[in-house]
């Protein structure tokens, strides 16, 4: 579009990425004379892209960059240096509302004004260029400029002294208009103003009394306090930051870089440029930030500021995976403990059981050994049992003299009558009869003694001696007839001390 001379792109949020594309196109444009890029969120990166435009463009005369954030090096320096060295067509430049401030920025502006060969009007209003040092530097550039006609430094925080320092250093310049709106001057400034060859616009002249302007330090500290309490969570009072430094004995003058690092470590989110302004307002003679003075001023504004009580550390809430792992571990430990308890119980149960079993085994072994030679009773005399101890007592030792022994057997019927029986035992060694008298008592039963139970010719009895063999039992027919009744008693051996009735040698 070769006929386009004026282009207004304000309030479009072009940003740095959009500015890169636009700057490349502007380098080869030869028609646009007036370009408005205000309110587009441009930063120092956009200043680098505009530096190329200033080197190549030969048509641009009016450039509005107000309400952006082109306030830091190296972007601002590259842009103004290229505009001063390479461009000879720019007539008007608007850099208002860009947070310009500080000695370095003032020095860059001084070089631009002094070296640029075509600039006629420069708008630097609504920035932070109001100190005596900053005004002195800018004044040197104005004094050497051959083309600058109008300079607007309104609303930069000037006071009567800084305004006088600026005016007194540009008396020999070719400047025609100096705008210092919102600045109250004193009588001394008014006198110098009348002698100047250019027009100076100020807010007014105080009538001999010193007018106290706004307390900039208090304004900055109130802003810092507001930003500390702005987040909904993790609110941080700027005064707490200063008090912690005091308690740690580190509240000493520091350089701006160190102060910026301390603010970042405390995670206080400040507006862009607020740290620079605090550093400028609380700078001491050594050009360091006086933190003691800053704390005193803060406590003057907020006297109730005090460090909060330390919070108790909350237990860390375990994540789902950690909770599951803990539950699994707990279940495993419980199962292990249960298994151990079961094993312990089984062990405790096993010990007495083994002891009882061993005791029973020992008893059974002794009984078996004792009764080893005792055969089970025959069918005829199953009910008759001779006590082991009786047999042991009646055992005939091998060394003893062999003699017949008679056994006395007492039987009791229903009428409590006792009968004597003689049982004869034969010794196989000498073929002699041994007779022993034994008393046997029968229990009262209802069973009948059948003749067939006593019809056996002989009964073998063992256990009398290890060397003796069982002898035959002789029962006469008369004795057998006496014991046969309708309800004969069942024979039962009653353990008694054996008595020897008679010995037949």
């Amino acid at each position: 579009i070769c006929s386009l001379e004026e282009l207004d792109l304000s309030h479009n949020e072009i940003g740095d990425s959009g500015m890169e594309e636009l700057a490349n196109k502007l380098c080869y444009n030869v028609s646009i004379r007036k370009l408005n890029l205000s309110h587009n969120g441009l930063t120092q990166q956009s200043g680098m892209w505009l530096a190329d435009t200033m080197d190549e463009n030969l048509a641009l005369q009016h450039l509005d960059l107000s309400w952006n954030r082109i306030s830091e090096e190296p972007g601002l320096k590259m842009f103004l240096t290229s505009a001063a060295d390479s461009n000879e067509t720019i007539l008007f430049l608007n850099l208002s509302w860009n947070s310009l401030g500080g000695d370095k920025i003032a020095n860059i502006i001084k070089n631009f004004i002094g070296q640029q060969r075509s600039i006629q009007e420069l708008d630097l209003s609504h920035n932070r260029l109001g100190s005596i040092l900053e005004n002195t530097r800018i004044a040197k550039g104005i004094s050497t400029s051959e083309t600058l006609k109008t300079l607007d430094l309104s609303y930069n925080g000037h006071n009567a002294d800084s305004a006088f320092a600026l005016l007194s250093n540009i008396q020999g310049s070719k400047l025609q208009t100096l705008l210092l709106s919102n600045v109250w001057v004193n009588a001394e400034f008014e006198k110098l103003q009348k002698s100047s060859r250019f027009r100076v616009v100020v807010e007014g002249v105080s009538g001999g009394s010193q007018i106290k302007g706004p307390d900039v330090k208090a304004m900055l500290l109130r802003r810092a306090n507001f930003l500390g309490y702005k987040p909904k969570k993790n609110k941080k009072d700027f005064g707490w930051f200063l008090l912690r430094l005091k308690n740690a004995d580190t509240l000493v003058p520091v350089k701006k870089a160190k102060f910026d690092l301390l603010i970042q470590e405390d995670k206080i989110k400040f507006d862009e440029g607020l740290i620079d302004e605090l550093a400028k307002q609380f700078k001491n003679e050594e050009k360091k930030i006086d933190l003691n003075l800053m704390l005193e001023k803060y406590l003057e504004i907020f006297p109730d500021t005090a460090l909060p009580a330390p919070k108790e550390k909350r237990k860390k809430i375990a994540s789902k995976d950690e909770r599951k792992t803990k539950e699994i571990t707990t279940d495993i430990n419980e199962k292990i403990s249960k298994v151990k308890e079961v094993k312990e119980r089984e062990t405790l149960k096993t010990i007495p059981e083994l002891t009882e079993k061993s005791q029973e085994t020992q008893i059974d072994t002794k009984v078996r050994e004792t009764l080893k030679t005792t055969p089970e009773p025959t069918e005829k005399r199953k009910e008759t049992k001779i006590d082991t101890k009786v047999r042991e007592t009646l055992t005939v030792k091998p060394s003893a003299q062999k003699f017949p022994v008679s056994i006395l057997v007492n039987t009791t019927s229903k009428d409590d009558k006792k009968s004597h029986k003689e049982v004869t035992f034969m010794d196989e060694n000498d073929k002699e009869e041994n007779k022993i008298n034994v008393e046997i008592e029968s229990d009262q039963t209802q069973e009948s003694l059948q003749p067939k139970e006593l019809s056996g010719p002989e009964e073998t009895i063992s256990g009398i001696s290890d060397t003796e063999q069982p002898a035959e039992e002789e029962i006469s027919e008369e004795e057998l007839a006496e014991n046969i009744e309708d309800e004969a008693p069942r024979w039962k051996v009653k353990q008694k001390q054996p008595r020897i009735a008679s010995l037949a040698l």
Side-chain angles (χ1 to χ4, degrees):
I1 305 176
C2 299
S3 61
L4 181 64
E5 294 185 358
E6 184 175 347
L7 178 61
D8 187 354
L9 296 175
S10 61
H11 297 88
N12 277 293
E13 298 295 331
I14 293 175
D16 295 333
S17 58
M19 192 65 239
E20 182 180 6
E21 296 294 331
L22 181 61
N24 291 332
K25 303 299 180 182
L26 290 174
C27 289
Y28 306 103
N29 183 273
V30 294
S31 64
I32 296 177
R33 299 286 187 266
K34 189 175 181 180
L35 177 63
N36 187 354
L37 294 174
S38 61
H39 294 275
N40 273 291
L42 307 180
T43 66
Q44 59 95 16
Q45 184 65 42
S46 295
M48 296 180 183
W49 309 133
L50 287 170
D52 297 336
T53 302
M54 292 292 102
D55 289 336
E56 302 294 336
N57 188 277
L58 302 176
L60 192 61
Q61 297 177 357
H62 189 287
L63 179 59
D64 188 352
L65 295 173
S66 61
W67 290 94
N68 287 295
R69 298 192 299 273
I70 310 174
S71 58
E72 298 178 1
E73 297 184 80
L76 179 66
K77 184 177 181 179
M78 291 178 64
F79 167 63
L80 293 180
T81 301
S82 297
D85 296 341
S86 304
N87 191 280
E88 296 181 357
T89 60
I90 190 72
L91 300 177
F92 173 83
L93 178 61
N94 187 353
L95 290 175
S96 63
W97 296 97
N98 268 277
S99 300
L100 301 175
D103 294 342
K104 291 183 179 180
I105 301 300
N107 193 55
I108 293 172
I109 293 172
K110 179 204 75 171
N111 295 333
F112 169 75
I113 295 174
Q115 297 173 12
Q116 223 293 324
R117 294 181 293 274
S118 61
I119 189 70
Q120 295 182 5
E121 186 175 350
L122 179 61
D123 188 350
L124 298 175
S125 62
H126 296 90
N127 284 296
R128 300 193 300 270
L129 299 168
S131 67
I132 294 175
L133 182 59
E134 291 167 341
N135 279 275
T136 302
R137 291 184 183 278
I138 294 172
K140 290 180 181 179
I142 297 171
S143 299
T144 58
S145 176
E146 297 291 334
T147 59
L148 186 62
K149 305 299 181 184
T150 303
L151 176 62
D152 190 352
L153 286 171
S154 304
Y155 297 94
N156 267 279
H158 291 93
N159 55 28
D161 294 334
S162 61
F164 182 80
L166 175 64
L167 184 61
S168 60
N169 285 286
I170 60 174
Q171 290 299 311
S173 67
K174 296 181 179 181
L175 190 67
Q176 296 179 1
T177 303
L178 176 63
L179 301 177
L180 294 174
S181 301
N182 199 39
V183 178
W184 289 86
V185 297
N186 52 25
E188 187 178 6
F189 183 93
E190 185 181 16
K191 182 179 179 180
L192 184 59
Q193 178 185 5
K194 290 179 179 180
S195 62
S196 298
R197 294 180 297 175
F198 52 86
R199 184 173 68 96
V200 180
V201 178
V202 296
E203 190 70 25
V205 179
S206 60
S209 60
Q210 186 177 1
I211 299 177
K212 185 177 181 181
D215 190 345
V216 179
K217 294 179 180 178
M219 292 172 61
L220 294 173
L221 292 176
R222 285 192 176 93
R223 180 65 180 173
N225 175 269
F226 169 76
L227 293 175
Y229 281 96
K230 186 177 180 180
K232 294 182 179 180
K233 296 182 179 179
N234 299 325
K235 298 181 183 296
K236 295 184 179 180
D237 193 322
F238 182 65
W240 298 347
F241 162 73
L242 297 173
L243 289 173
R244 280 194 292 267
L245 293 178
K246 182 180 179 180
N247 292 343
D249 295 330
T250 56
L251 196 69
V252 294
V254 296
K255 293 183 179 180
K256 178 183 173 297
K258 178 65 175 178
F259 181 67
D260 195 359
L261 181 61
L262 291 173
I263 293 293
Q264 291 178 8
E265 290 177 353
D266 204 62
K267 297 181 180 180
I268 302 176
K269 295 182 180 181
F270 282 166
D271 291 335
E272 187 175 357
L274 182 58
I275 295 177
D276 295 337
E277 194 63 28
L278 286 170
K280 182 176 69 174
Q281 291 296 327
F282 291 94
K283 187 181 294 185
N284 60 11
E285 295 178 355
E286 298 176 355
K287 295 184 178 181
K288 292 183 177 181
I289 303 173
D290 193 343
L291 297 180
N292 277 300
L293 178 60
M294 189 180 295
L295 178 59
E296 291 176 3
K297 186 68 177 178
Y298 193 89
L299 293 177
E300 180 182 339
I301 303 169
F302 306 101
D304 296 332
T305 303
L307 285 172
K311 296 181 180 179
E312 296 181 358
K313 293 183 178 180
R314 296 181 179 178
K315 293 183 179 180
K316 185 180 178 181
I317 300 175
S319 62
K320 292 183 179 179
D321 294 338
E322 291 176 349
R323 288 197 297 270
K324 288 182 180 179
T325 304
K326 188 175 181 181
E327 290 175 359
I328 293 170
T329 305
T330 305
D331 292 340
I332 292 173
N333 292 334
E334 290 178 355
K335 290 179 180 178
I336 291 172
S337 62
K338 288 180 180 179
V339 170
K340 288 182 178 179
E341 289 178 1
V342 171
K343 287 184 177 180
E344 290 177 357
R345 290 173 185 171
E346 290 178 354
T347 304
L348 294 175
K349 287 179 179 180
T350 305
I351 293 172
E353 287 177 0
L354 290 175
T355 305
E356 292 176 0
K357 288 181 179 179
S358 61
Q359 291 177 355
E360 292 176 359
T361 304
Q362 292 176 1
I363 295 170
D364 292 342
T365 304
K366 289 181 180 181
V367 172
R368 291 193 192 98
E369 290 177 355
T370 304
L371 302 177
K372 187 173 183 182
T373 58
T374 305
E376 295 182 358
T378 60
E379 293 180 358
K380 298 178 181 180
R381 305 296 297 271
K382 285 183 179 179
E383 303 298 330
T384 303
K385 297 181 181 178
I386 301 176
D387 188 83
T388 304
K389 292 184 179 180
V390 176
R391 291 198 298 272
E392 291 178 355
T393 306
L394 300 178
T395 301
V396 180
K397 298 181 180 179
S399 60
Q401 186 178 1
K402 298 180 175 58
F403 53 86
V405 179
S406 64
I407 298 176
L408 180 62
V409 179
N410 296 327
T411 59
T412 305
S413 61
K414 292 182 179 180
D415 53 356
D416 295 332
K417 294 181 180 181
K418 294 184 179 180
S419 61
H420 297 274
K421 290 185 179 183
E422 186 178 64
V423 180
T424 303
F425 298 91
M426 296 297 292
D427 190 348
E428 293 181 0
N429 295 327
D430 53 4
K431 304 299 181 178
E432 292 182 356
E433 294 182 356
N434 295 327
K435 296 181 180 181
I436 301 175
N437 292 327
V438 178
E439 185 179 36
I440 299 175
E441 183 178 352
S442 63
D443 58 351
Q444 300 295 329
T445 60
Q446 299 299 325
E447 297 178 0
S448 299
L449 183 60
Q450 303 296 331
K452 62 181 179 180
E453 295 180 0
L454 301 174
S455 62
E458 62 182 14
E459 179 177 345
T460 304
I461 301 176
S462 62
I464 296 177
S465 175
D466 294 337
T467 59
E468 294 178 351
Q469 296 296 328
E472 295 180 355
E473 182 181 0
E474 296 180 359
I475 301 175
S476 63
E477 293 180 358
E478 296 178 356
E479 292 174 351
L480 180 61
E482 291 177 359
N483 291 300
I484 296 174
E485 295 178 358
D486 294 336
E487 294 181 356
R490 179 178 297 179
W491 298 101
K492 179 179 180 182
V493 177
K494 179 177 180 183
Q495 180 177 349
K496 284 188 179 182
Q497 186 69 24
R499 292 181 298 175
I500 299 175
S502 61
L503 298 176
L505 297 175

